[in-house]
Amino acid sequence: SIDSIICSNDLLAINVLGIVQRYHFKVPAEIQIIGYDNIPFSEMTYPQITTIDQSAYHLGEIAVSQLLGLNTDNLTNNHKQLALAVKHRGSTRN
């Protein structure tokens, strides 16, 4: 039996929430749903979608910085870690 569904983005999580509710499963009591990207629509469902928030702005900033670095002879293996935050909402049990 499945007790959780982790989706690759919030739009998919919203769609899954609708399907799960159509089949009369109780969210989060019987099944939990988690999205990824923290779009504003994730707060407009009932229950609200728990989501993983990663700053798209910061991700873009790092990507551009890495691309600009390709124009130099100084190519290094710089690994960057991006901060993640879980926005606990109604679609998961705390």
PDB file of all heavy atoms in Angstrom, residues 67-94:
ATOM      1  N   LEU A  67      28.055  29.500 -16.275  1.00  0.00           N
ATOM      2  CA  LEU A  67      28.174  29.668 -17.725  1.00  0.00           C
ATOM      3  C   LEU A  67      29.184  30.751 -18.082  1.00  0.00           C
ATOM      4  O   LEU A  67      29.964  30.594 -19.018  1.00  0.00           O
ATOM      5  CB  LEU A  67      26.813  30.004 -18.338  1.00  0.00           C
ATOM      6  CG  LEU A  67      25.830  28.847 -18.426  1.00  0.00           C
ATOM      7  CD1 LEU A  67      24.455  29.345 -18.837  1.00  0.00           C
ATOM      8  CD2 LEU A  67      26.328  27.787 -19.391  1.00  0.00           C
ATOM      9  N   LEU A  68      29.179  31.841 -17.354  1.00  0.00           N
ATOM     10  CA  LEU A  68      30.153  32.903 -17.614  1.00  0.00           C
ATOM     11  C   LEU A  68      31.566  32.428 -17.333  1.00  0.00           C
ATOM     12  O   LEU A  68      32.507  32.844 -17.991  1.00  0.00           O
ATOM     13  CB  LEU A  68      29.825  34.138 -16.773  1.00  0.00           C
ATOM     14  CG  LEU A  68      28.544  34.876 -17.166  1.00  0.00           C
ATOM     15  CD1 LEU A  68      28.262  36.008 -16.181  1.00  0.00           C
ATOM     16  CD2 LEU A  68      28.619  35.398 -18.587  1.00  0.00           C
ATOM     17  N   GLY A  69      31.710  31.530 -16.386  1.00  0.00           N
ATOM     18  CA  GLY A  69      33.017  30.965 -16.064  1.00  0.00           C
ATOM     19  C   GLY A  69      33.570  30.102 -17.177  1.00  0.00           C
ATOM     20  O   GLY A  69      34.768  29.878 -17.263  1.00  0.00           O
ATOM     21  N   LEU A  70      32.700  29.608 -18.068  1.00  0.00           N
ATOM     22  CA  LEU A  70      33.160  28.777 -19.182  1.00  0.00           C
ATOM     23  C   LEU A  70      33.939  29.585 -20.208  1.00  0.00           C
ATOM     24  O   LEU A  70      34.671  29.026 -21.020  1.00  0.00           O
ATOM     25  CB  LEU A  70      31.973  28.085 -19.854  1.00  0.00           C
ATOM     26  CG  LEU A  70      31.256  27.029 -19.028  1.00  0.00           C
ATOM     27  CD1 LEU A  70      30.041  26.508 -19.787  1.00  0.00           C
ATOM     28  CD2 LEU A  70      32.189  25.881 -18.692  1.00  0.00           C
ATOM     29  N   ASN A  71      33.798  30.911 -20.185  1.00  0.00           N
ATOM     30  CA  ASN A  71      34.487  31.759 -21.147  1.00  0.00           C
ATOM     31  C   ASN A  71      35.932  32.043 -20.755  1.00  0.00           C
ATOM     32  O   ASN A  71      36.640  32.706 -21.472  1.00  0.00           O
ATOM     33  CB  ASN A  71      33.733  33.089 -21.318  1.00  0.00           C
ATOM     34  CG  ASN A  71      32.399  32.877 -22.008  1.00  0.00           C
ATOM     35  OD1 ASN A  71      32.243  31.957 -22.806  1.00  0.00           O
ATOM     36  ND2 ASN A  71      31.436  33.722 -21.701  1.00  0.00           N
ATOM     37  N   THR A  72      36.358  31.537 -19.640  1.00  0.00           N
ATOM     38  CA  THR A  72      37.734  31.764 -19.201  1.00  0.00           C
ATOM     39  C   THR A  72      38.521  30.465 -19.320  1.00  0.00           C
ATOM     40  O   THR A  72      37.966  29.391 -19.513  1.00  0.00           O
ATOM     41  CB  THR A  72      37.769  32.249 -17.733  1.00  0.00           C
ATOM     42  OG1 THR A  72      37.354  31.173 -16.895  1.00  0.00           O
ATOM     43  CG2 THR A  72      36.858  33.452 -17.511  1.00  0.00           C
ATOM     44  N   ASP A  73      39.799  30.578 -19.197  1.00  0.00           N
ATOM     45  CA  ASP A  73      40.649  29.394 -19.233  1.00  0.00           C
ATOM     46  C   ASP A  73      40.699  28.704 -17.872  1.00  0.00           C
ATOM     47  O   ASP A  73      41.277  27.646 -17.728  1.00  0.00           O
ATOM     48  CB  ASP A  73      42.069  29.767 -19.659  1.00  0.00           C
ATOM     49  CG  ASP A  73      42.102  30.220 -21.111  1.00  0.00           C
ATOM     50  OD1 ASP A  73      41.237  29.743 -21.886  1.00  0.00           O
ATOM     51  OD2 ASP A  73      42.967  31.044 -21.450  1.00  0.00           O
ATOM     52  N   ASN A  74      40.100  29.314 -16.873  1.00  0.00           N
ATOM     53  CA  ASN A  74      40.133  28.785 -15.518  1.00  0.00           C
ATOM     54  C   ASN A  74      38.893  27.930 -15.255  1.00  0.00           C
ATOM     55  O   ASN A  74      37.983  28.330 -14.560  1.00  0.00           O
ATOM     56  CB  ASN A  74      40.220  29.941 -14.511  1.00  0.00           C
ATOM     57  CG  ASN A  74      40.391  29.449 -13.099  1.00  0.00           C
ATOM     58  OD1 ASN A  74      40.711  28.293 -12.878  1.00  0.00           O
ATOM     59  ND2 ASN A  74      40.171  30.329 -12.152  1.00  0.00           N
ATOM     60  N   LEU A  75      38.871  26.741 -15.819  1.00  0.00           N
ATOM     61  CA  LEU A  75      37.736  25.839 -15.617  1.00  0.00           C
ATOM     62  C   LEU A  75      38.009  24.966 -14.404  1.00  0.00           C
ATOM     63  O   LEU A  75      38.952  24.199 -14.363  1.00  0.00           O
ATOM     64  CB  LEU A  75      37.511  24.952 -16.852  1.00  0.00           C
ATOM     65  CG  LEU A  75      37.091  25.674 -18.119  1.00  0.00           C
ATOM     66  CD1 LEU A  75      37.001  24.693 -19.273  1.00  0.00           C
ATOM     67  CD2 LEU A  75      35.759  26.351 -17.907  1.00  0.00           C
ATOM     68  N   THR A  76      37.198  25.115 -13.408  1.00  0.00           N
ATOM     69  CA  THR A  76      37.354  24.315 -12.199  1.00  0.00           C
ATOM     70  C   THR A  76      36.056  23.583 -11.937  1.00  0.00           C
ATOM     71  O   THR A  76      35.011  23.921 -12.467  1.00  0.00           O
ATOM     72  CB  THR A  76      37.705  25.192 -10.984  1.00  0.00           C
ATOM     73  OG1 THR A  76      36.662  26.145 -10.804  1.00  0.00           O
ATOM     74  CG2 THR A  76      39.028  25.895 -11.165  1.00  0.00           C
ATOM     75  N   ASN A  77      36.152  22.598 -11.110  1.00  0.00           N
ATOM     76  CA  ASN A  77      34.981  21.806 -10.736  1.00  0.00           C
ATOM     77  C   ASN A  77      34.372  22.410  -9.474  1.00  0.00           C
ATOM     78  O   ASN A  77      34.535  21.889  -8.390  1.00  0.00           O
ATOM     79  CB  ASN A  77      35.398  20.354 -10.478  1.00  0.00           C
ATOM     80  CG  ASN A  77      34.601  19.414 -11.323  1.00  0.00           C
ATOM     81  OD1 ASN A  77      33.638  19.797 -11.961  1.00  0.00           O
ATOM     82  ND2 ASN A  77      34.999  18.154 -11.314  1.00  0.00           N
ATOM     83  N   ASN A  78      33.688  23.534  -9.603  1.00  0.00           N
ATOM     84  CA  ASN A  78      33.035  24.164  -8.456  1.00  0.00           C
ATOM     85  C   ASN A  78      31.639  23.585  -8.285  1.00  0.00           C
ATOM     86  O   ASN A  78      30.784  23.759  -9.135  1.00  0.00           O
ATOM     87  CB  ASN A  78      32.924  25.676  -8.649  1.00  0.00           C
ATOM     88  CG  ASN A  78      34.239  26.373  -8.458  1.00  0.00           C
ATOM     89  OD1 ASN A  78      35.100  25.858  -7.758  1.00  0.00           O
ATOM     90  ND2 ASN A  78      34.393  27.537  -9.058  1.00  0.00           N
ATOM     91  N   HIS A  79      31.451  22.895  -7.189  1.00  0.00           N
ATOM     92  CA  HIS A  79      30.125  22.351  -6.885  1.00  0.00           C
ATOM     93  C   HIS A  79      29.449  23.297  -5.913  1.00  0.00           C
ATOM     94  O   HIS A  79      30.008  23.664  -4.890  1.00  0.00           O
ATOM     95  CB  HIS A  79      30.244  20.950  -6.271  1.00  0.00           C
ATOM     96  CG  HIS A  79      30.804  19.950  -7.229  1.00  0.00           C
ATOM     97  ND1 HIS A  79      30.072  19.449  -8.274  1.00  0.00           N
ATOM     98  CD2 HIS A  79      32.025  19.378  -7.308  1.00  0.00           C
ATOM     99  CE1 HIS A  79      30.814  18.599  -8.951  1.00  0.00           C
ATOM    100  NE2 HIS A  79      32.012  18.540  -8.396  1.00  0.00           N
ATOM    101  N   LYS A  80      28.259  23.688  -6.255  1.00  0.00           N
ATOM    102  CA  LYS A  80      27.491  24.598  -5.408  1.00  0.00           C
ATOM    103  C   LYS A  80      26.340  23.833  -4.781  1.00  0.00           C
ATOM    104  O   LYS A  80      25.716  22.990  -5.406  1.00  0.00           O
ATOM    105  CB  LYS A  80      26.916  25.759  -6.234  1.00  0.00           C
ATOM    106  CG  LYS A  80      27.932  26.552  -7.013  1.00  0.00           C
ATOM    107  CD  LYS A  80      28.712  27.454  -6.105  1.00  0.00           C
ATOM    108  CE  LYS A  80      29.668  28.290  -6.946  1.00  0.00           C
ATOM    109  NZ  LYS A  80      30.511  29.129  -6.169  1.00  0.00           N
ATOM    110  N   GLN A  81      26.067  24.124  -3.528  1.00  0.00           N
ATOM    111  CA  GLN A  81      24.908  23.546  -2.863  1.00  0.00           C
ATOM    112  C   GLN A  81      23.840  24.611  -2.750  1.00  0.00           C
ATOM    113  O   GLN A  81      24.109  25.747  -2.375  1.00  0.00           O
ATOM    114  CB  GLN A  81      25.268  23.048  -1.470  1.00  0.00           C
ATOM    115  CG  GLN A  81      25.741  21.640  -1.450  1.00  0.00           C
ATOM    116  CD  GLN A  81      25.821  21.115  -0.031  1.00  0.00           C
ATOM    117  OE1 GLN A  81      26.250  21.821   0.869  1.00  0.00           O
ATOM    118  NE2 GLN A  81      25.411  19.889   0.152  1.00  0.00           N
ATOM    119  N   LEU A  82      22.625  24.220  -3.097  1.00  0.00           N
ATOM    120  CA  LEU A  82      21.505  25.138  -2.990  1.00  0.00           C
ATOM    121  C   LEU A  82      20.711  24.825  -1.733  1.00  0.00           C
ATOM    122  O   LEU A  82      20.509  23.661  -1.390  1.00  0.00           O
ATOM    123  CB  LEU A  82      20.598  25.000  -4.215  1.00  0.00           C
ATOM    124  CG  LEU A  82      21.227  25.372  -5.548  1.00  0.00           C
ATOM    125  CD1 LEU A  82      20.281  25.066  -6.675  1.00  0.00           C
ATOM    126  CD2 LEU A  82      21.600  26.840  -5.558  1.00  0.00           C
ATOM    127  N   ALA A  83      20.285  25.859  -1.078  1.00  0.00           N
ATOM    128  CA  ALA A  83      19.492  25.674   0.129  1.00  0.00           C
ATOM    129  C   ALA A  83      18.090  25.199  -0.235  1.00  0.00           C
ATOM    130  O   ALA A  83      17.493  25.667  -1.198  1.00  0.00           O
ATOM    131  CB  ALA A  83      19.415  26.984   0.892  1.00  0.00           C
ATOM    132  N   LEU A  84      17.601  24.239   0.501  1.00  0.00           N
ATOM    133  CA  LEU A  84      16.239  23.738   0.343  1.00  0.00           C
ATOM    134  C   LEU A  84      15.484  23.991   1.633  1.00  0.00           C
ATOM    135  O   LEU A  84      16.057  23.922   2.715  1.00  0.00           O
ATOM    136  CB  LEU A  84      16.234  22.230   0.059  1.00  0.00           C
ATOM    137  CG  LEU A  84      16.878  21.751  -1.221  1.00  0.00           C
ATOM    138  CD1 LEU A  84      16.887  20.231  -1.245  1.00  0.00           C
ATOM    139  CD2 LEU A  84      16.135  22.280  -2.416  1.00  0.00           C
ATOM    140  N   ALA A  85      14.193  24.249   1.504  1.00  0.00           N
ATOM    141  CA  ALA A  85      13.336  24.400   2.678  1.00  0.00           C
ATOM    142  C   ALA A  85      12.041  23.654   2.412  1.00  0.00           C
ATOM    143  O   ALA A  85      11.471  23.760   1.331  1.00  0.00           O
ATOM    144  CB  ALA A  85      13.050  25.870   2.946  1.00  0.00           C
ATOM    145  N   VAL A  86      11.602  22.892   3.383  1.00  0.00           N
ATOM    146  CA  VAL A  86      10.331  22.191   3.257  1.00  0.00           C
ATOM    147  C   VAL A  86       9.248  23.091   3.822  1.00  0.00           C
ATOM    148  O   VAL A  86       9.350  23.563   4.958  1.00  0.00           O
ATOM    149  CB  VAL A  86      10.350  20.844   3.993  1.00  0.00           C
ATOM    150  CG1 VAL A  86       8.995  20.170   3.906  1.00  0.00           C
ATOM    151  CG2 VAL A  86      11.439  19.950   3.427  1.00  0.00           C
ATOM    152  N   LYS A  87       8.232  23.356   3.027  1.00  0.00           N
ATOM    153  CA  LYS A  87       7.080  24.144   3.463  1.00  0.00           C
ATOM    154  C   LYS A  87       5.992  23.154   3.863  1.00  0.00           C
ATOM    155  O   LYS A  87       5.264  22.636   3.027  1.00  0.00           O
ATOM    156  CB  LYS A  87       6.569  25.049   2.338  1.00  0.00           C
ATOM    157  CG  LYS A  87       7.608  25.995   1.776  1.00  0.00           C
ATOM    158  CD  LYS A  87       7.978  27.048   2.789  1.00  0.00           C
ATOM    159  CE  LYS A  87       8.961  28.050   2.160  1.00  0.00           C
ATOM    160  NZ  LYS A  87       9.324  29.094   3.055  1.00  0.00           N
ATOM    161  N   HIS A  88       5.934  22.840   5.158  1.00  0.00           N
ATOM    162  CA  HIS A  88       4.944  21.876   5.657  1.00  0.00           C
ATOM    163  C   HIS A  88       3.565  22.502   5.608  1.00  0.00           C
ATOM    164  O   HIS A  88       3.339  23.563   6.207  1.00  0.00           O
ATOM    165  CB  HIS A  88       5.271  21.444   7.084  1.00  0.00           C
ATOM    166  CG  HIS A  88       6.484  20.573   7.167  1.00  0.00           C
ATOM    167  ND1 HIS A  88       6.442  19.241   6.846  1.00  0.00           N
ATOM    168  CD2 HIS A  88       7.749  20.854   7.502  1.00  0.00           C
ATOM    169  CE1 HIS A  88       7.653  18.724   6.995  1.00  0.00           C
ATOM    170  NE2 HIS A  88       8.461  19.681   7.390  1.00  0.00           N
ATOM    171  N   ARG A  89       2.668  21.859   4.888  1.00  0.00           N
ATOM    172  CA  ARG A  89       1.294  22.332   4.790  1.00  0.00           C
ATOM    173  C   ARG A  89       0.369  21.155   5.044  1.00  0.00           C
ATOM    174  O   ARG A  89       0.769  20.132   5.586  1.00  0.00           O
ATOM    175  CB  ARG A  89       1.068  22.971   3.429  1.00  0.00           C
ATOM    176  CG  ARG A  89       1.946  24.200   3.212  1.00  0.00           C
ATOM    177  CD  ARG A  89       1.608  24.923   1.938  1.00  0.00           C
ATOM    178  NE  ARG A  89       2.500  26.064   1.750  1.00  0.00           N
ATOM    179  CZ  ARG A  89       3.190  26.286   0.651  1.00  0.00           C
ATOM    180  NH1 ARG A  89       3.097  25.468  -0.373  1.00  0.00           N
ATOM    181  NH2 ARG A  89       3.967  27.334   0.558  1.00  0.00           N
ATOM    182  N   GLY A  90      -0.849  21.258   4.613  1.00  0.00           N
ATOM    183  CA  GLY A  90      -1.871  20.293   4.983  1.00  0.00           C
ATOM    184  C   GLY A  90      -1.838  18.935   4.319  1.00  0.00           C
ATOM    185  O   GLY A  90      -2.539  18.027   4.732  1.00  0.00           O
ATOM    186  N   SER A  91      -1.021  18.749   3.280  1.00  0.00           N
ATOM    187  CA  SER A  91      -1.049  17.471   2.561  1.00  0.00           C
ATOM    188  C   SER A  91      -0.120  16.409   3.156  1.00  0.00           C
ATOM    189  O   SER A  91      -0.009  15.329   2.622  1.00  0.00           O
ATOM    190  CB  SER A  91      -0.714  17.679   1.079  1.00  0.00           C
ATOM    191  OG  SER A  91       0.635  18.068   0.910  1.00  0.00           O
ATOM    192  N   THR A  92       0.557  16.757   4.256  1.00  0.00           N
ATOM    193  CA  THR A  92       1.404  15.777   4.952  1.00  0.00           C
ATOM    194  C   THR A  92       1.143  15.842   6.451  1.00  0.00           C
ATOM    195  O   THR A  92       0.710  16.865   6.976  1.00  0.00           O
ATOM    196  CB  THR A  92       2.912  16.020   4.703  1.00  0.00           C
ATOM    197  OG1 THR A  92       3.240  17.349   5.104  1.00  0.00           O
ATOM    198  CG2 THR A  92       3.285  15.787   3.261  1.00  0.00           C
ATOM    199  N   ARG A  93       1.461  14.734   7.104  1.00  0.00           N
ATOM    200  CA  ARG A  93       1.384  14.709   8.566  1.00  0.00           C
ATOM    201  C   ARG A  93       2.690  15.247   9.113  1.00  0.00           C
ATOM    202  O   ARG A  93       3.755  14.940   8.607  1.00  0.00           O
ATOM    203  CB  ARG A  93       1.161  13.282   9.056  1.00  0.00           C
ATOM    204  CG  ARG A  93      -0.136  12.663   8.536  1.00  0.00           C
ATOM    205  CD  ARG A  93      -0.340  11.250   9.052  1.00  0.00           C
ATOM    206  NE  ARG A  93       0.655  10.295   8.583  1.00  0.00           N
ATOM    207  CZ  ARG A  93       0.501   9.528   7.501  1.00  0.00           C
ATOM    208  NH1 ARG A  93      -0.584   9.608   6.769  1.00  0.00           N
ATOM    209  NH2 ARG A  93       1.440   8.671   7.159  1.00  0.00           N
ATOM    210  N   ASN A  94       2.638  16.026  10.135  1.00  0.00           N
ATOM    211  CA  ASN A  94       3.885  16.585  10.724  1.00  0.00           C
ATOM    212  C   ASN A  94       4.455  15.678  11.762  1.00  0.00           C
ATOM    213  O   ASN A  94       3.991  14.919  12.411  1.00  0.00           O
ATOM    214  CB  ASN A  94       3.635  17.962  11.319  1.00  0.00           C
ATOM    215  CG  ASN A  94       3.428  18.985  10.234  1.00  0.00           C
ATOM    216  OD1 ASN A  94       3.920  18.840   9.137  1.00  0.00           O
ATOM    217  ND2 ASN A  94       2.679  20.007  10.545  1.00  0.00           N
TER     218      ASN A  94
END
